[in-house]
Amino acid sequence: MSVDVIRKAYQATEEGFLSLVTKQWPMKPQIAAVGSCCLVGVICGGTLYVANLGDSRAVLGRAVKATGEVLAIQLSAEHNVCIESVRQELQSLHPDDSQIVVLKHNVWRVKGLIQVSRSIGDVYLKKAEFNREPLYSKFRLREPLKRPILSADPSISVHQLQPHDQFVIFASDGLWEHLSNQEAVDIVQNHPRSGSARRLVKTALKEAANKREMRYSDLKKIVRGVRRHFHDDITVIVVFLDSNLVSGASSVKGPNLSVKGGGVSLRPNILAPCATPTEAGST
């Protein structure tokens, strides 16, 4: 396991999806506008690798021995053009294009179309042969695509796990729109492990309802096609870290994984934490 191995896995995934688009383009050309964020966590040899494309996020809960607090530490870098540094990166890569990022309806978007600057898929913004008819006109650029606009190169960070590292929350941006890193960590820390992901999703949905001045029960009644106007899709995985397992012991102190997806996904999010069996137990 290494940073290079993970990068090659992303590349292989991107190439696999491109192959699918190429095959299906004559029958289903709109697949060229399909894409996904991709957040990956791998534990190997006491090391946590976190790789990301798009705006999903991984947050570590780390205990502070002196105070008993559990602090939130963000592990992933995001690629959303609402972040100024991401806009600057795109502008530096495309200095001849004054419209590479556009403020549209008070939201920054790449070419006025998409918020993320890196993804799996979205080949209509990567290869000119897929930015033409019969792709829907709303996805087609006015000028020829001279070079890829979006990238599938992940940001990867490496962390040596410590005995006071408690858990990692992997979640799509739908969660982080409504909860801060510390709020999410506090929810996991202050409740039983079982159902942690479900609890985070429910808390975020309640906050989305409050922002719309409506009851959570009424939000839940809204049909999926309309719900998208009230909140983004939410996918959450919570991985609990057992220092004994990470260091090679065999005891298990409870559930290691809590998974919950909720909402109305028009754009998929790939969340893929994994670990060697000796380190994560049975998940």
Side-chain angles (χ1 to χ4, degrees), residues 58-87:
V59 174
L60 173 71
R62 172 173 290 173
V64 179
K65 191 174 182 180
T67 63
E69 296 176 280
V70 176
L71 297 181
I73 300 173
Q74 185 167 324
L75 302 178
S76 56
E78 293 166 38
H79 312 116
N80 188 309
V81 290
C82 71
I83 302 169
E84 185 176 359
S85 60
V86 177
R87 294 198 300 275

Side-chain angles (χ1 to χ4, degrees), residues 50-56 74-79 83 155-157:
V50 174
N52 189 44
L53 288 178
D55 52 11
S56 295
Q74 185 167 324
L75 302 178
S76 56
E78 293 166 38
H79 312 116
I83 302 169
S155 293
I156 305 176
S157 58

Side-chain angles (χ1 to χ4, degrees), residues 40-211:
V40 171
V42 181
I43 298 174
C44 184
T47 300
L48 170 62
Y49 299 83
V50 174
N52 189 44
L53 288 178
D55 52 11
S56 295
R57 184 184 304 171
V59 174
L60 173 71
R62 172 173 290 173
V64 179
K65 191 174 182 180
T67 63
E69 296 176 280
V70 176
L71 297 181
I73 300 173
Q74 185 167 324
L75 302 178
S76 56
E78 293 166 38
H79 312 116
N80 188 309
V81 290
C82 71
I83 302 169
E84 185 176 359
S85 60
V86 177
R87 294 198 300 275
Q88 291 174 346
E89 179 185 52
L90 272 178
Q91 289 163 347
S92 66
L93 291 171
H94 303 271
D96 55 338
D97 188 352
S98 62
Q99 300 295 305
I100 190 66
V101 286
V102 179
L103 190 62
K104 190 174 182 180
H105 304 304
N106 211 33
V107 177
W108 286 103
R109 295 182 183 275
V110 180
K111 301 300 290 183
L113 295 169
I114 189 171
Q115 288 184 264
V116 295
S117 62
R118 304 189 196 189
S119 69
I120 296 292
D122 295 310
V123 299
Y124 74 111
L125 290 176
K126 295 175 179 176
K127 292 188 174 291
E129 59 264 38
F130 298 114
N131 198 288
R132 59 179 177 83
E133 292 184 339
L135 187 69
Y136 292 149
S137 60
K138 65 179 180 179
F139 295 123
R140 298 201 302 269
L141 302 178
R142 294 179 180 178
E143 66 283 352
L145 183 63
K146 297 179 182 178
R147 60 183 181 275
I149 294 174
L150 301 189
S151 164
D153 184 35
S155 293
I156 305 176
S157 58
V158 181
H159 312 269
Q160 294 301 316
L161 291 173
Q162 306 298 323
H164 48 283
D165 292 339
Q166 305 294 300
F167 52 82
V168 184
I169 302 169
F170 296 84
S172 62
D173 64 313
L175 182 79
W176 308 114
E177 285 178 7
H178 301 294
L179 296 178
S180 69
N181 293 352
Q182 191 61 54
E183 286 171 337
V185 164
D186 289 345
I187 290 168
V188 175
Q189 175 62 20
N190 296 329
H191 294 86
R193 286 187 175 189
S194 180
S196 291
R198 179 185 296 273
R199 194 173 295 112
L200 287 170
V201 172
K202 186 174 182 179
T203 304
L205 292 179
K206 285 183 174 180
E207 184 61 28
N210 289 337
K211 289 177 181 177

Side-chain angles (χ1 to χ4, degrees), residues 235-279:
T235 305
V236 178
I237 299 173
V238 180
V239 179
F240 294 94
L241 305 171
D242 187 316
S243 59
N244 291 320
L245 292 173
V246 170
S247 62
S250 59
S251 61
V252 179
K253 295 182 179 179
N256 293 84
L257 192 66
S258 180
V259 182
K260 179 62 179 176
V264 282
S265 179
L266 296 183
R267 178 180 181 80
N269 299 285
I270 304 170
L271 306 180
C274 64
T276 58
T278 57
E279 290 161 347

